[in-house]
Amino acid sequence: MWVLVNKAQGIMSFFYDEGLRGRKVLTDSLGEADLKALMSDGYNAYIFLDGELENTEHLICMAHVMVKFEKAYQHGDDAVAKEFADIISELYDIEEGYRLRDLKKN
């Protein structure tokens, strides 16, 4: 599943291409679009897009980063990886607190 979001226009597009995640699927779908940013899960196909999307900022999803640190801790007992995973988790907890606060206001 691919998801493209245009925050400025308030548009979100979902598409599926027979389970393929390769770079060609993404570049064919984007066509000549002028992307400001591309957020991904760190999948290797996106690394090769930097040359094709020179003016596009490549962002990594923090939830996926947290999972990678958690796996590093689980598989290698790396205390630093655990610390980073915990910090990211705390950020998500803070975000949830703000979300709940905003819901109570409305």
Side-chain angles (χ1 to χ4, degrees):
M1 176 74 64
W2 293 82
V3 181
L4 299 175
V5 178
N6 181 332
K7 288 178 75 174
Q9 298 296 318
I11 299 170
M12 185 179 303
S13 301
F14 297 87
F15 62 98
Y16 178 81
D17 190 0
E18 299 181 25
L20 301 174
R21 293 185 62 191
R23 175 177 55 157
K24 184 171 177 2
V25 175
L26 182 60
T27 54
D28 287 353
S29 299
L30 294 174
E32 297 297 321
D34 181 27
L35 298 179
K36 301 294 182 207
L38 172 71
M39 180 181 286
S40 74
D41 59 2
Y43 181 55
N44 287 339
Y46 307 126
I47 294 169
F48 301 104
L49 290 172
D50 290 340
E52 294 177 35
L53 303 172
E54 293 176 15
N55 297 321
T56 303
E57 187 172 355
H58 189 177
L59 311 169
I60 303 296
C61 169
M62 290 303 289
H64 285 88
V65 170
M66 184 174 67
V67 169
K68 289 182 188 294
F69 279 121
E70 288 172 347
K71 285 183 180 179
Y73 174 68
Q74 292 169 358
H75 295 290
D77 199 28
D78 185 334
V80 174
K82 175 72 170 130
E83 185 176 347
F84 275 108
D86 290 346
I87 290 169
I88 295 169
S89 180
E90 287 177 33
L91 289 172
Y92 277 109
D93 289 345
I94 292 168
E95 178 185 40
E96 179 66 7
Y98 284 121
R99 189 185 70 76
L100 292 174
R101 183 196 67 187
D102 291 344
L103 284 175
K104 287 180 183 177
K105 287 182 181 179
N106 296 329

